[in-house]
Amino acid sequence: MNAGVVVEESRLALSLPIGRGPRKTIELNKKDLHPALTFANRRTDAVAEAEIASYQSIAENLLRDDRWQPRQVFVSSPAAGDGKTSTAFNLAWALSMQQKSVLLIELNFARPRFRSVLGDLRIRYGLDGALQGSAKPEDSVFSLGDSGLHVSAVRDALDKTGIKRRLPLLANFIGWAAESYEWLILDCPPVLSPAWNGWFRENASPVLMVVRAHKTALLEVRKAAQQLGPNLKGTLLNDSDRTQ
Amino acid sequence: MQENSVLFRIFALPLRHKLTASMIAIVVACGFFVWGRRVAERYASPALLSFDASTVRHAETGGAQPSAITLAESILGDEQVTVLTSHFDISPAPDESSLKIFRSHLKLDELGPTILRLQYLDPNGMQAVAMTNAIVEVLTAWTPVETTITPQLPVTSPPVKATYPKSVPIRSMHALLRPGDSLMRMQAQLSAIDHQLTAIEVERQKLNATKVNHSIVEKQTNTRQALETQLAAAQKKLEDLRVRYTEEYPDVGAAQEHVLDLQQQLAALPAGHGGDVAPTVNLKLEAITREASQLRLEREHLTRDIAIEKKRAREEHDVDAVQAQSSGGIRSHVPSLTTVPSTVTRASMEPLAQASVSQLTMSPFTLLQQSSYTVSGSGKPGSGLWLGMLLALVGALAYLGLAIRWYKPVHDETMLTEAVSTEVMYMGSVPRMNL
């Protein structure tokens, strides 16, 4: 299932599904990737190494802790701009480095960002297409890197009506993904935003809440924690002054 | 530390708070700008007019004393307002709406029984001042309808003489006098002129009567001449008949009777002759007419000078009263304004009325202070904008300060773990990248 993979110094290989035929491998210029994707960029400076070490440590914690069952993590934050997407990417990459097959799923249908952080990647089918029934679930998944990381991105942003229509079908997709991959990392909308609707309140569990140091308000953290209740299983401090 | 810097904390605030602060700044700046324009409108000072109700008592209201506002509103009729609004281009097509706009913007206040405050409100201060002063001109130029008082002069009272006092060079005299004396002297001169005019009128009537008598005599002379001609013809006819006939002949008798009849008619006519009376009367009449026209001219000048002098005196009194009132003076000064000039006016007008001349017609409104345009502060219309911008900045910063205080950010894992339940696992931290 894992696609063929990367790795040159300046390029990142992706394996994309092309209709019913064999998957196609394309190469991305790394300078087009978002710099927050630490693993993909393969930076070698001390900060990048410390960051990679942090994500690896967090990944080990996830693997050790049995509260993250059924082996899925809903990554969210109190408000926008706290670093959910980059955390989800890097965490999924760190898990995949542990010889695990990981599927990173984009659930922010209103403001999808996966394609933009990958340098405006063009895909044929996205998660939205799979939920709509125009493609099979596996057709919406492309492979990234050389460590068994798979991504299901939203191709086109959806309006409220589209989101309402597709969210009930998401459970089937997640069920398929849980059977196909060992770990699911789900990038969610902010908890305190209108996009965090009833579906997330009922189904998003366990939740890893990302907080950006010196930016996310303490008040918002408390409100988000109160809203998530027992579904909140862990927290992660982004942009911390300390290194682990 | 970077995170302790105010700018960093402002930068770290959520976008919605930054937008809110920006909106506050914009609203405050715009609000102050608009308010500044309204303040400029206020600084278009009103005009002050004095009002003398006694001037219009007889003419306009049949004895009732009108208020200054009522009279001003009646003067500013639709036709007058249409001219004003057209001139100042308040409405391209003057119609009812422009009249309504004018009347809604016109503010009339009575500061006292004799002081009228007038102001035209307009967002454009210069326009407001121009319109206010134009309205003032309309009011001060208005005069009540002229009325003539019934002559009080007894027919036989002034001694009618063939000669009358010579007119005095009045304008040159009263110019040298003091203001208070000048008015009294001018009124005395006016009275004297009126006496002269009356005497001239009597003389003129007498000369006219003489002229009529002369025409009668002239007519009698003509009749006499005709009769004499007829008599001569009749006598000649009688002499011819006597040559041819005797005294007993009937034609001779009839001719003698005709001659006697004509002689009787001639004897019945009054004796005397017109001689050179007619040219003398005509010359006198011409001289009297010239003198009368000269006196009337002098009287007109004198009347105008008296009106100016009275206005000036009233202005001095009213300005003093307004100043006293504005500086917290005693309000009892105001009645003295109303009584003193009117009393003086009536006393001085008495001889005029007795001299059977028409009453002086002058506007009841006299200008005390024109409207003027002044801007607060440094005098520049835009200077308020800087203050508005400063206040906007202060307002925005105040909001951001409150937001920073309210939105205290999470600094470290201790704060984060304290903010959530103890059952929530702290998974770790990711160091800050210098992207």
Side-chain angles (χ1 to χ4, degrees):
Chain A
M1 180 172 287
N2 287 352
V5 196
V6 202
V7 182
E8 294 172 19
E9 278 302 315
S10 61
R11 305 192 85 78
L12 174 65
L14 275 81
S15 175
L16 295 169
I18 304 296
R20 308 264 175 219
R23 300 173 79 87
K24 178 187 177 185
T25 300
I26 63 168
E27 290 183 342
L28 298 179
N29 197 335
K30 284 188 178 178
K31 67 180 181 184
D32 294 333
L33 303 179
H34 195 281
L37 304 185
T38 314
F39 285 90
N41 283 321
R42 291 180 182 274
R43 286 161 49 204
T44 54
D45 56 282
V47 176
E49 284 178 4
E51 194 177 337
I52 289 170
S54 300
Y55 281 116
Q56 285 174 338
S57 168
I58 293 166
E60 287 168 5
N61 288 340
L62 284 174
L63 293 172
R64 276 200 301 269
D65 195 354
D66 57 357
R67 75 180 71 188
W68 303 98
Q69 296 295 336
R71 294 185 182 278
Q72 59 188 26
V73 180
F74 286 85
V75 180
S76 185
S77 69
D82 288 333
K84 295 179 299 295
T85 302
S86 60
T87 299
F89 251 107
N90 290 325
L91 191 57
W93 204 299
L95 278 172
S96 69
M97 299 283 284
Q98 304 286 333
Q99 304 301 317
K100 304 292 180 187
S101 65
V102 180
L103 178 60
L104 176 62
I105 304 171
E106 184 172 35
L107 295 185
N108 198 345
F109 295 100
R111 298 176 63 186
R113 288 203 63 214
F114 278 14
R115 291 198 308 113
S116 66
V117 298
L118 291 172
D120 287 330
L121 177 67
R122 295 179 65 185
I123 55 175
R124 184 167 185 179
Y125 299 112
L127 175 59
D128 47 332
L131 293 177
Q132 194 180 359
S134 59
K136 290 181 179 178
E138 56 267 29
D139 292 338
S140 70
V141 176
F142 60 89
S143 303
L144 185 66
D146 56 352
S147 55
L149 173 58
H150 308 276
V151 180
S152 179
V154 174
R155 198 185 76 164
D156 300 312
L158 299 177
D159 58 8
K160 279 186 179 178
T161 312
I163 294 170
K164 270 189 178 178
R165 212 164 40 221
R166 286 172 179 80
L167 275 178
L169 306 170
L170 193 57
N172 294 335
F173 182 87
I174 292 173
W176 166 84
E179 288 176 3
S180 305
Y181 300 91
E182 291 177 88
W183 278 86
L184 302 182
I185 306 295
L186 302 104
D187 184 29
C188 301
V191 176
L192 299 179
S193 73
W196 188 268
N197 52 28
W199 187 91
F200 289 101
R201 283 193 288 272
E202 290 175 12
N203 300 290
S205 179
V207 175
L208 173 66
M209 186 165 68
V210 179
V211 173
R212 189 182 288 276
H214 310 300
K215 179 184 180 295
T216 310
L218 193 60
L219 191 73
E220 290 179 333
V221 173
R222 286 183 179 140
K223 282 173 73 174
Q226 190 178 2
Q227 186 164 333
L228 290 170
N231 292 337
L232 178 61
K233 299 297 182 186
T235 56
L236 185 152
L237 188 63
N238 213 352
D239 279 359
S240 170
D241 296 327
R242 280 198 224 166
T243 55
Q244 288 184 338
Chain B
M1 293 288 287
Q2 188 187 10
E3 58 270 22
N4 291 331
S5 145
V6 173
L7 283 178
F8 177 80
R9 292 176 71 178
I10 289 175
F11 180 75
L13 279 172
L15 181 63
R16 61 180 181 276
H17 291 290
K18 294 174 195 166
L19 287 175
T20 306
S22 304
M23 287 303 296
I24 288 173
I26 290 168
V27 167
V28 169
C30 291
F32 199 89
F33 181 72
V34 172
W35 179 76
R37 286 181 67 86
R38 290 195 171 274
V39 165
E41 180 185 344
R42 284 184 190 173
Y43 277 85
S45 68
L48 291 178
L49 295 167
S50 75
F51 175 66
D52 184 5
S54 63
T55 313
V56 289
R57 183 180 299 169
H58 300 285
E60 298 297 313
T61 60
Q65 195 159 359
S67 74
I69 292 179
T70 310
L71 184 60
E73 285 173 346
S74 68
I75 293 169
L76 295 169
D78 288 354
E79 190 180 346
Q80 194 69 257
V81 170
T82 304
V83 171
L84 285 170
T85 52
S86 303
H87 180 72
F88 286 94
D89 199 20
I90 286 179
S91 175
D95 51 5
E96 197 179 0
S97 65
S98 69
L99 297 179
K100 281 183 181 175
I101 290 170
F102 177 88
R103 298 203 187 286
S104 63
H105 286 204
L106 182 62
K107 193 178 172 189
L108 296 168
D109 294 316
E110 274 184 314
L111 298 182
T114 61
I115 306 290
L116 177 68
R117 184 170 66 185
L118 187 152
Q119 187 173 20
Y120 186 83
L121 302 174
D122 195 288
N124 183 348
M126 304 298 279
Q127 170 104 339
V129 168
M131 179 61 98
T132 304
N133 289 333
I135 297 167
V136 165
E137 278 190 27
V138 169
L139 292 181
T140 52
W142 180 86
T143 54
V145 178
E146 189 172 345
T147 56
T148 304
I149 297 173
T150 309
Q152 302 291 319
L153 186 68
V155 179
T156 57
S157 58
V160 180
K161 298 177 183 176
T163 58
Y164 40 85
K166 290 276 184 184
S167 63
V168 187
I170 299 156
R171 293 171 63 79
S172 59
M173 277 184 65
H174 69 71
L176 301 173
L177 299 172
R178 288 183 301 165
D181 297 338
S182 174
L183 184 63
M184 300 301 290
R185 291 295 294 270
M186 281 191 289
Q187 286 165 350
Q189 293 295 337
L190 187 66
S191 178
I193 286 177
D194 290 333
H195 279 289
Q196 289 177 24
L197 282 170
T198 309
I200 285 173
E201 181 64 21
V202 171
E203 178 70 9
R204 193 179 63 79
Q205 287 175 2
K206 187 185 172 189
L207 285 173
N208 278 336
T210 307
K211 197 175 176 182
V212 168
N213 290 337
H214 168 68
S215 65
I216 293 169
V217 169
E218 194 172 9
K219 194 176 178 183
Q220 287 173 349
T221 304
N222 293 336
T223 308
R224 178 184 293 275
Q225 286 174 351
L227 286 173
E228 283 174 352
T229 306
Q230 287 176 13
L231 182 62
Q235 283 174 343
K236 189 180 178 186
K237 187 180 178 183
L238 181 63
E239 286 172 6
D240 289 344
L241 287 172
R242 277 177 180 169
V243 172
R244 286 187 284 175
Y245 305 106
T246 60
E247 289 294 328
E248 287 79 18
Y249 192 76
D251 288 347
V252 174
Q256 281 181 342
E257 285 179 6
H258 187 228
V259 168
L260 285 173
D261 186 34
L262 288 173
Q263 286 174 343
Q264 284 174 358
Q265 284 184 21
L266 277 171
L269 286 173
H273 51 83
D276 57 346
V277 173
T280 310
V281 170
N282 285 336
L283 285 173
K284 280 187 178 180
L285 274 173
E286 283 178 10
I288 283 173
T289 307
R290 277 199 302 274
E291 190 72 22
S293 62
Q294 188 180 351
L295 281 173
R296 286 196 185 92
L297 190 65
E298 287 288 346
R299 187 185 182 285
E300 189 182 336
H301 289 180
L302 195 57
T303 304
R304 197 184 308 150
D305 289 346
I306 287 173
I308 291 168
E309 191 69 21
K310 283 175 71 181
K311 276 185 184 178
R312 193 161 61 84
R314 197 180 301 121
E315 281 174 14
E316 287 173 1
H317 281 85
D318 290 348
V319 166
D320 291 344
V322 170
Q323 286 174 349
Q325 194 176 4
S326 62
S327 62
I330 303 168
R331 205 175 164 75
S332 61
H333 283 286
V334 177
S336 67
L337 275 174
T338 63
T339 53
V340 173
S342 61
T343 308
V344 170
T345 302
R346 284 188 197 118
S348 57
M349 293 294 281
E350 200 71 23
L352 292 177
Q354 288 177 356
S356 73
V357 293
S358 61
Q359 188 181 7
L360 288 177
T361 55
M362 50 183 286
S363 174
F365 294 102
T366 309
L367 177 64
L368 298 178
Q369 180 185 313
Q370 275 198 323
S371 174
S372 59
Y373 183 67
T374 53
V375 180
S376 62
S378 62
K380 294 178 184 174
S383 60
L385 188 61
W386 292 105
L387 184 59
M389 289 174 72
L390 182 67
L391 286 176
L393 187 65
V394 169
L397 287 176
Y399 176 82
L400 289 174
L402 288 173
I404 286 171
R405 193 173 176 81
W406 191 44
Y407 271 81
K408 188 178 179 182
V410 174
H411 290 302
D412 50 29
E413 62 263 32
T414 311
M415 288 179 73
L416 179 57
T417 51
E418 285 175 1
V420 297
S421 166
T422 51
E423 295 176 2
V424 177
M425 181 183 181
Y426 177 69
M427 302 297 292
S429 62
V430 177
R432 180 187 301 147
M433 286 194 303
N434 298 317
L435 299 175

